[in-house]
Amino acid sequence: MRLARLSRYMNKNSLVIFFVFSLIANIGNVSMDACRAEEISPDISKEALQEKVDNILRQEVSVARRSIKDVFRLADIYAREGKDQKAMDLYKWGLGIDSWDLWGQLKYAELLRKNGDSVQASQKFNQVLAYAEDEKLADQAETLLGASPSQDGGKDPAVSNQSMEIVLVPIGDINKRLLAELRGELERKTGIRYSISGQSVDPGNVDRFYVDQILGEMIRQMKLQLPKSGVEGDRKGSGPRTRAGKIKFIQRFMIKHGAHPEDLFKFNGAIELLQAKGQYDASKLLSLLEARFKIPQNSPVMGYLGVTSEDIFNRRNNFLFSLSGDNHAVVSYFRMTSAFNKTPANRPRLLERTLKQAICSSCFLLGIPRCTSVGCVMAYTSGTVELDEKTTELCDTCKLQLRALLNYSKSEANA
């Protein structure tokens, strides 16, 4: 909820606290996993953790789930100590409450196999392999199943036109398993040949930081909602301009209105976590692709499609799923992930979301325009809700345009 909507119901102290938690909530746009990790003190003793878990085991399910990470953590300790049965009991109990903890599933499966239950272990390894968005987790599950990590995209592609090709280019550190699966699905959906470039593009430094956006918004809301609270700007009344100045500005405000030291600690921790997190300018990434990958005359390559796990924006949009030029495009799956949306990991869902956007960008590279038909993959989407609602299929009109391009390219190649 927006601060503007809540402030009328809050006294000064609760509003100060809300500023802190509003900031922490925004870290969800980076990774809530990092926040959850901080909730568990690394210095807690095994005895204290055992006492805490004993209390969790007595709670109602809805209450116990809030602290389920502690249960898995104690199970990890028992597993390392070789106390398999105690570890398995805790993993089983924890997974009974949160079956989507895929690391817990993997560790439980390892113990099941070690203790003779290879059938159930294999079932769980397969589940982890099917749903993990974390590439290392999926690779580990596949290795434990007895197979080597796959990079071939799975099923055999159904390419109907070998004379047209689109090259997928990794930008930054991306999930190679997802990229391979994407390539195969794109070929099956479009009938065009796709390849994965052996060269990746380094996106460089981020172009804007989340922390600057959030600090600016906090100060703006403080001024709007509490004009008589003692919030003061610089001599011109525009507020502090530097990041350090904004941080001190908010800290002074919090202290003045009675914030608890713990609130200041959480605020400072949230700021530190956000310092290196930010977005990349999609236009700049597009320029990097254009400079690196030229299309020679008479080449079957119709375009280069960059794929990145980084968050992107441009001058007119606070965030983007993709940006296309004449022969180059960029697709970001950052905001499609479970980590960003605070949902259970689900790689098939992530693949489908990325596929929809990649089909759309591919069609733009081929000259097929945006579609106005409901459900068509070429229809505009403003967020993951609309992205999930549309299909992976082209409407009849867009299919005709793509088919015409494929047939024309074939005839040119055979001429």
Side-chain angles (χ1 to χ4, degrees), residues 77-97:
I77 292 173
Y78 281 132
R80 287 196 297 271
E81 292 176 347
K83 298 175 181 177
D84 290 2
Q85 192 57 54
K86 284 189 174 183
M88 290 169 67
D89 289 344
L90 286 174
Y91 282 130
K92 184 177 181 179
W93 191 91
L95 292 170
I97 292 178

Side-chain angles (χ1 to χ4, degrees), residues 2-230:
R2 300 281 298 177
L3 182 68
R5 292 165 56 192
L6 287 180
S7 60
R8 70 187 68 179
Y9 304 111
M10 293 183 168
N11 59 37
K12 290 179 181 178
N13 289 345
S14 62
L15 187 56
V16 168
I17 295 171
F18 183 73
F19 281 147
V20 176
F21 286 100
S22 175
L23 175 68
I24 293 173
N26 273 285
I27 298 176
N29 293 351
V30 183
S31 173
M32 285 305 296
D33 290 336
C35 297
R36 283 196 291 269
E38 293 301 317
E39 292 174 4
I40 303 175
S41 170
D43 299 323
I44 189 171
S45 67
K46 177 186 172 183
E47 292 72 21
L49 182 60
Q50 179 70 68
E51 184 178 349
K52 188 175 182 181
V53 170
D54 288 342
N55 183 57
I56 293 169
L57 298 179
R58 293 190 290 268
Q59 302 293 331
E60 294 291 330
V61 169
S62 59
V63 177
R65 180 156 177 163
R66 299 172 193 167
S67 303
I68 200 65
K69 295 295 182 185
D70 287 310
V71 176
F72 288 125
R73 188 181 181 197
L74 183 59
D76 292 345
I77 292 173
Y78 281 132
R80 287 196 297 271
E81 292 176 347
K83 298 175 181 177
D84 290 2
Q85 192 57 54
K86 284 189 174 183
M88 290 169 67
D89 289 344
L90 286 174
Y91 282 130
K92 184 177 181 179
W93 191 91
L95 292 170
I97 292 178
D98 185 6
S99 63
W100 286 100
D101 191 303
L102 298 183
W103 279 108
Q105 291 280 12
L106 182 77
K107 293 171 184 177
Y108 183 40
E110 288 184 274
L111 287 175
L112 286 170
R113 173 180 283 180
K114 179 182 176 183
N115 288 273
D117 193 345
S118 58
V119 174
Q120 188 180 176
S122 294
Q123 290 173 349
K124 291 191 173 296
F125 286 140
N126 274 308
Q127 290 167 8
V128 174
L129 179 59
Y131 286 97
E133 293 183 15
D134 185 312
E135 185 177 14
K136 291 181 180 178
L137 176 57
D139 286 349
Q140 191 169 338
E142 190 171 47
T143 300
L144 288 167
L145 273 168
S148 300
S150 172
Q151 302 295 342
D152 62 3
K155 303 174 185 177
D156 292 332
V159 179
S160 64
N161 191 324
Q162 293 285 351
S163 61
M164 293 178 67
E165 180 182 356
I166 292 177
V167 182
L168 301 177
V169 181
I171 299 179
D173 184 18
I174 75 164
N175 188 322
K176 295 182 178 64
R177 179 181 295 273
L178 180 71
L179 187 64
E181 293 173 337
L182 178 64
R183 181 200 68 82
E185 289 300 314
L186 282 167
E187 291 192 337
R188 282 183 281 279
K189 286 292 183 181
T190 66
I192 300 169
R193 183 175 64 191
Y194 282 79
S195 61
I196 299 176
S197 172
Q199 301 180 56
S200 61
V201 172
D202 181 358
N205 297 322
V206 297
D207 293 297
R208 69 180 188 186
F209 293 91
Y210 294 121
V211 66
D212 295 322
Q213 299 174 63
I214 293 170
L215 290 174
E217 176 64 13
M218 288 177 70
I219 291 173
R220 188 180 76 83
Q221 292 294 347
M222 287 162 65
K223 288 184 173 183
L224 287 174
Q225 302 304 318
L226 301 172
K228 297 180 181 180
S229 66

